[in-house]
Amino acid sequence: MIVAEAKPIEEILAMIDRYDKIILAGCKECAAVCAAGGEKEVGVLASTITLARKRDGRAIEIREVTLERQCDPEYVEGIRGFAGDYQAILSIACGVGVQYMAEHYKNIPALPGLNTFFMGGSLEQGVWSERCQGCGTCILHLTGGICPVTRCAKSLFNGPCGGSSDGKCEVNKEIECGWQLIIDRLKALGEFEARYTELFPIKDWSTSRDGGQRTIVREDLKQ
Amino acid sequence: MRLDYPPNVKIVRVPCTGKVDLLHILKAFEAGVDGVYVAGCLEGECHFLSGNLRAKKRVGHVQGILAALGINPARLQMYNLSAAMGGRFVEIAQEMTERVRALGPSPIRTGKGKEFVEEEQEEEGK
């Protein structure tokens, strides 16, 4: 999932300061699963904003909605009927959702209520960890199922570097060295000799963000 | 026991404090109450094992929200007592009433702006 975190409330309040009638839009997909922008968080944020406004003796009307997805036009269009009655859309979906709101409702400002961080999964309830950077050329079959692009701070393909110490990364002693994990895993799989002795060729990063904004087209699905 | 507790305390019954949600507390403040306290079972004695511990975390979270909004987080408290502690129940009701009375009406009701600055509290802590 895409993992995001709520922005500090002060930042959100400053963002919506000039509006008195807003839509607060959550998303039932990733943002809901990472407990940042689902129906529940929409309710809590709406209440928090209302409290802040009441504290200052100012009224605000908040329309609470939680869309199936904010990254699909058909669902984003779901608020078309009433969007025009509001001054701004505060989206607590990921960055994609905020941009889709902006693209679909051109005359209404779309504001981000979350900081979107990474593609990852949950380690336990309330803890999420990054796993994928979407580099566009997956090599997990060669690295024991551990991603060096994500798990190594330098995204090295022939690691570890000299900063690896006791299995930890020099960037932060709390972070495990991705290459130590890869080596341990390859050994456990009995693939160490076969895999680790071969140098990775230079990676073509043009499939990653370096190639500019990416688009995938499936001609068989496209209308 | 026939003990009296302050009549300003309105009781909202829940099956377990583990049922208490962030929104229950926030909505109470939104409605204009001056203070809220959650009275759970003694720690370690929850019939559902961790309901009161979950409530404690949620109360802490809402206290953080209140502080960020410039509302004194002391307006929200968590207490732990057993169903057999009637005397303590009265003490808590009186203690919370006095605390909230000393703080005055909630700024959410008066609309008079922030009553609390988070930094000051942190410095006191140091």
Side-chain angles (χ1 to χ4, degrees):
Chain A
M1 79 188 98
I2 294 175
V3 182
E5 190 178 55
K7 275 185 179 290
I9 187 65
E10 298 86 350
E11 198 179 329
I12 293 174
L13 291 174
M15 223 183 276
I16 61 166
D17 190 54
R18 49 204 179 106
Y19 309 115
D20 300 315
K21 215 177 164 190
I22 64 166
I23 293 171
L24 174 53
C27 177
K28 290 184 185 171
E29 291 285 340
C30 314
V33 182
C34 69
E39 203 163 2
K40 175 104 180 180
E41 291 74 29
V42 166
V44 171
L45 181 57
S47 185
T48 306
I49 293 171
T50 305
L51 287 179
R53 283 298 183 94
K54 282 191 170 180
R55 174 202 71 197
D56 294 335
R58 290 173 66 194
I60 186 164
E61 185 186 329
I62 303 173
R63 175 91 177 235
E64 299 175 34
V65 292
T66 309
L67 307 181
E68 285 303 320
R69 281 196 289 279
Q70 285 193 31
C71 53
D72 253 333
E74 61 183 292
Y75 298 118
V76 175
E77 283 297 323
I79 61 168
R80 175 70 65 191
F82 55 84
D85 300 334
Y86 293 84
Q87 298 164 321
I89 302 169
L90 175 60
S91 164
I92 55 171
C94 67
V96 180
V98 181
Q99 293 181 64
Y100 263 57
M101 285 294 182
E103 286 168 29
H104 283 258
Y105 301 99
K106 299 200 185 302
N107 299 322
I108 310 166
L111 315 168
L114 302 182
N115 288 322
T116 306
F117 278 88
F118 51 77
M119 283 184 274
S122 52
L123 296 179
E124 58 180 286
Q125 190 171 331
V127 182
W128 295 271
S129 176
E130 184 171 18
R131 286 293 181 276
C132 179
Q133 294 205 345
C135 73
T137 315
C138 192
I139 46 92
L140 285 169
H141 59 301
L142 302 175
T143 56
I146 294 160
C147 174
V149 178
T150 313
R151 305 296 293 272
C152 168
K154 294 174 177 171
S155 295
L156 291 181
F157 274 69
N158 294 290
C161 72
S164 175
S165 163
D166 296 328
K168 301 292 179 186
C169 176
E170 65 180 339
V171 168
N172 181 338
K173 291 291 171 211
E174 299 295 310
I175 300 174
E176 286 178 296
C177 167
W179 270 99
Q180 185 67 53
L181 295 175
I182 292 170
I183 290 166
D184 292 345
R185 174 84 172 140
L186 289 177
K187 281 182 177 167
L189 292 172
E191 293 182 8
F192 181 71
E193 293 300 326
R195 298 271 177 240
Y196 194 63
T197 48
E198 270 180 44
L199 280 181
F200 269 97
I202 293 169
K203 181 173 165 64
D204 176 6
W205 287 100
S206 67
T207 57
S208 187
R209 288 200 55 260
D210 307 66
Q213 185 200 18
R214 294 166 286 174
T215 304
I216 292 173
V217 181
R218 272 277 300 270
E219 290 298 346
D220 57 325
L221 294 176
K222 202 173 161 230
Q223 290 180 339
Chain B
M1 249 188 270
R2 298 195 180 278
L3 299 168
D4 290 330
Y5 64 92
N8 51 281
V9 176
K10 180 177 164 55
I11 293 177
V12 179
R13 294 197 295 178
V14 287
C16 167
T17 48
K19 175 67 190 166
V20 176
D21 190 79
L22 305 180
L23 263 181
H24 294 141
I25 304 173
L26 288 170
K27 288 287 176 190
F29 280 107
E30 231 182 272
V33 302
D34 297 316
V36 173
Y37 66 96
V38 177
C41 295
L42 295 166
E43 289 191 10
E45 294 190 8
C46 175
H47 288 264
F48 306 103
L49 304 179
S50 57
N52 51 1
L53 302 177
R54 286 172 199 270
K56 186 183 181 182
K57 283 186 183 175
R58 289 176 196 152
V59 165
H61 186 77
V62 178
Q63 282 176 328
I65 292 175
L66 294 176
L69 293 178
I71 298 157
N72 199 322
R75 290 183 183 278
L76 171 61
Q77 294 292 322
M78 170 97 194
Y79 288 99
N80 297 92
L81 72 166
S82 87
M85 294 164 73
R88 178 67 185 138
F89 180 86
V90 172
E91 264 177 39
I92 291 169
Q94 286 167 344
E95 182 184 315
M96 195 64 196
T97 301
E98 281 163 25
R99 173 181 292 142
V100 171
R101 191 160 282 151
L103 289 170
S106 161
I108 295 153
R109 197 146 53 87
T110 60
K112 286 184 177 171
K114 293 186 180 183
E115 63 169 355
F116 173 86
V117 183
E118 218 167 350
E119 284 75 24
E120 283 179 11
Q121 187 77 0
E122 281 172 12
E123 280 167 20
E124 280 173 22
K126 285 171 193 170

